[in-house]
Amino acid sequence: MASEVFWADMRTKKGKNLVNKVAGLWRKAGFKRAIADQDLVAVKIHFGEKGNLAYINPVFARQIVELVKASKGMPFLTDSNTLYVGSRSNAVEHLQTAIENGFAYAVVGAPVIIADGLKGKDYYEVPIEGKHFRQVKISSAIYHADSMVVMSHFKGHELTAFGGTIKNLGMGCGSPGGKQMMHSDVLPEVQEEKCVGCGLCRRWCPAEAITVNEKASIDAGLCIGCGECTVTCPERAIKASFKSDPVVLQEKIVEFALGAVKDKKDKCVYFNFLTHVAPECDCNSWNDAAIIPDVGILASWDPVALDQASLDLANAQPALPGTRLDGRGNVKDKFQAISGYDGTHLLRYAEEVGLGTREYKLIKI
């Protein structure tokens, strides 16, 4: 059975601006049903890397906060720390970046809680039945939340072709160690010239695969590739690896998405913002010119249908001149043309494992 996907385009008029349209989507989709009285509601959003300007405008987050409060829920904005070294790799810098990018309490009307704690160690290993994982590391604030509103910026991505709701659920809800599990099949190695022998990696290794004399060393026969040493090392002597087969990476993201919504049946709702559709991820400290005109805002109870509808609408748009798509406006899949990867495998696998359906009925409001 096809899932309903609701679409508010970019056209506005007096009394019906884009912020009003978010509320219209909420009401039309019946999202209030996802929230019970006094539910702790995680509003999962990407705060944008410092220097990036393509992320979702905080004014939209405030509208969601007001809608959650009107539904008698208790909202908080949240995201997980990053694996790479940037302005969001620990809670202190992450909070500072969120505030500088406009997500202060005075603007959004709700607190910001970094989902996996100070250094990305606050997570739960959620059991799933996946092709690649039997347990996935889901950030604790998301795990403990009663309900979740997922606000995703739909855009291109360097490794998965595009990023939307499913990537926001999978990569975005995983701890840094979980992100390493998704990103790489390569076991970690110590860069001896950087190692100071502090022993923190050994303390956090669940497989007891690390020994420390003057320098740390990892027993490849015992290592389980969990990524904890990578994200623990204060000297970054155990380098994060982003070497992965793109198909495998997409499947791993889907399996983490399954863990993020597990035990939250009928308690998760989803928005995709197809505005400033940049060719690459908001994790960059810049954003290139939008490759297509703004499409609008989409909402659904089904994350797979939502991403499929978003992809179809985006690919139906004309390519903008002077962008990464300049001269390639007739390509069938704009995101594959830019990245070189087919991102639709993520949607097929998500449907296969029961995260949702690719069949949708688009309802314009």
Side-chain angles (χ1 to χ4, degrees):
M1 182 180 296
S3 293
E4 293 181 329
V5 177
F6 301 91
W7 172 29
D9 65 17
M10 297 298 295
R11 297 300 302 275
T12 61
K13 59 184 179 181
K14 184 177 180 180
K16 196 173 185 181
N17 58 38
L18 280 180
V19 178
N20 299 148
K21 284 190 170 187
V22 171
L25 286 166
W26 179 279
R27 288 190 292 267
K28 187 69 174 178
F31 284 167
K32 183 178 180 180
R33 300 196 310 271
I35 300 171
D37 289 2
Q38 302 303 301
D39 266 4
L40 294 170
V41 183
V43 179
K44 173 63 180 74
I45 194 168
H46 191 305
F47 299 118
E49 192 71 16
K50 188 177 294 186
N52 189 293
L53 298 174
Y55 57 87
I56 296 171
N57 192 308
V59 172
F60 291 120
R62 182 177 67 216
Q63 176 68 94
I64 294 297
V65 164
E66 290 173 356
L67 291 164
V68 170
K69 288 179 177 179
S71 303
K72 300 185 179 180
M74 294 184 287
F76 63 95
L77 272 60
T78 193
D79 196 8
S80 303
N81 289 311
T82 61
L83 174 62
Y84 63 84
V85 179
S87 67
R88 299 180 302 120
S89 60
N90 62 72
V92 174
E93 292 179 303
H94 204 158
L95 280 168
Q96 182 173 326
T97 298
I99 292 168
E100 290 177 355
N101 282 352
F103 294 93
Y105 190 97
V107 176
V108 298
V112 173
I113 298 174
I114 304 306
D116 52 353
L118 187 63
K119 294 185 177 181
K121 296 297 187 182
D122 296 349
Y123 63 82
Y124 277 80
E125 293 187 320
V126 178
I128 63 164
E129 294 295 327
K131 182 191 302 185
H132 303 282
F133 301 124
R134 290 294 179 265
Q135 290 182 322
V136 292
K137 299 177 179 180
I138 301 301
S139 299
S140 62
I142 291 164
Y143 175 84
H144 283 300
D146 301 304
S147 308
M148 184 156 54
V149 180
V150 183
M151 300 178 67
S152 306
H153 177 217
F154 194 88
K155 67 281 180 189
H157 193 272
E158 303 87 321
L159 299 176
T160 61
F162 67 87
T165 289
I166 296 172
K167 188 170 183 298
N168 194 10
L169 279 174
M171 194 66 72
C173 294
S175 71
K179 289 177 171 67
Q180 181 65 89
M181 291 166 61
M182 284 181 272
H183 267 299
S184 181
D185 299 319
V186 179
L187 294 178
E189 294 182 355
V190 178
Q191 301 174 80
E192 290 192 0
E193 68 277 11
K194 292 185 178 181
C195 179
V196 298
C198 68
L200 281 175
C201 57
R202 178 177 59 191
R203 186 188 310 173
W204 283 98
C205 178
E208 299 183 352
I210 299 176
T211 56
V212 180
N213 294 313
E214 290 186 5
K215 304 284 185 178
S217 62
I218 302 172
D219 186 330
L222 295 176
C223 178
I224 59 175
C226 70
E228 289 304 317
C229 59
T230 299
V231 300
T232 296
C233 179
E235 306 298 325
R236 296 285 177 172
I238 307 175
K239 189 177 180 181
S241 174
F242 296 93
K243 296 179 180 179
S244 181
D245 179 280
V247 170
V248 173
L249 173 61
Q250 291 177 41
E251 291 177 351
K252 288 180 175 181
I253 289 171
V254 168
E255 293 183 9
F256 264 74
L258 279 174
V261 301
K262 187 176 181 182
D263 300 327
K264 287 185 172 64
K265 181 176 172 56
D266 300 324
K267 301 292 286 182
C268 297
V269 299
Y270 308 97
F271 288 87
N272 268 355
F273 287 73
L274 277 71
T275 56
H276 198 119
V277 180
E280 295 175 329
C281 183
D282 295 344
C283 291
N284 292 322
S285 58
W286 70 89
N287 56 274
D288 203 353
I291 58 175
I292 59 173
D294 287 351
V295 176
I297 306 166
L298 280 70
S300 182
W301 291 83
D302 184 331
V304 183
L306 180 59
D307 273 358
Q308 183 68 67
S310 299
L311 180 63
D312 291 344
L313 279 173
N315 278 327
Q317 305 306 307
L320 290 174
T323 72
R324 293 276 290 278
L325 276 178
D326 205 354
R328 292 185 286 179
N330 295 323
V331 294
K332 182 179 179 181
D333 189 327
K334 294 175 170 61
F335 301 96
Q336 185 173 5
I338 291 173
S339 69
Y341 299 120
D342 178 10
T344 61
H345 181 73
L346 176 142
L347 298 171
R348 292 191 293 271
Y349 187 62
E351 185 176 53
E352 178 185 328
V353 301
L355 192 59
T357 177
R358 295 174 70 192
E359 298 294 322
Y360 64 89
K361 178 182 178 183
L362 190 62
I363 302 169
K364 194 172 181 180
I365 70 165

